[in-house]
Amino acid sequence: MTNAQEYLRARDIVRLTGVSLRTARRWIANKKLASGKIGGARLVAKGELERLLAPSRKVDEDEIDEAKEY
């Protein structure tokens, strides 16, 4: 087993998420997904897609009040 990072093309994102190819490319273009260009291919780290799709953590009022104290 290797520690190599898995990279995805826009079409892989479509296959994994069910979004349209246009949406996947828009996420990349709008920098919602960080990407790099390698050998002419625009690639996104799989972890970056997981970050985008992860449910956002809801912040409650007590946490907001605590943050204001700092």
Side-chain angles (χ1 to χ4, degrees), residues 3-62:
N3 285 338
Q5 178 74 39
E6 185 175 350
Y7 293 95
L8 308 168
R9 294 175 183 243
R11 291 195 184 277
D12 299 324
I13 294 169
V14 169
R15 182 178 44 81
L16 291 169
T17 64
V19 301
S20 70
L21 183 58
R22 183 175 181 176
T23 295
R25 288 181 174 158
R26 189 179 299 129
W27 286 348
I28 294 167
N30 293 339
K31 302 196 184 327
K32 287 186 177 186
L33 287 172
S35 67
K37 202 165 188 181
I38 300 174
R42 178 69 56 185
L43 301 175
V44 174
K46 188 173 183 182
E48 188 63 18
L49 179 62
E50 291 168 350
R51 179 200 54 81
L52 177 68
L53 298 177
S56 60
R57 191 172 81 81
K58 193 169 188 166
V59 179
D60 64 23
E61 292 296 320
D62 291 335

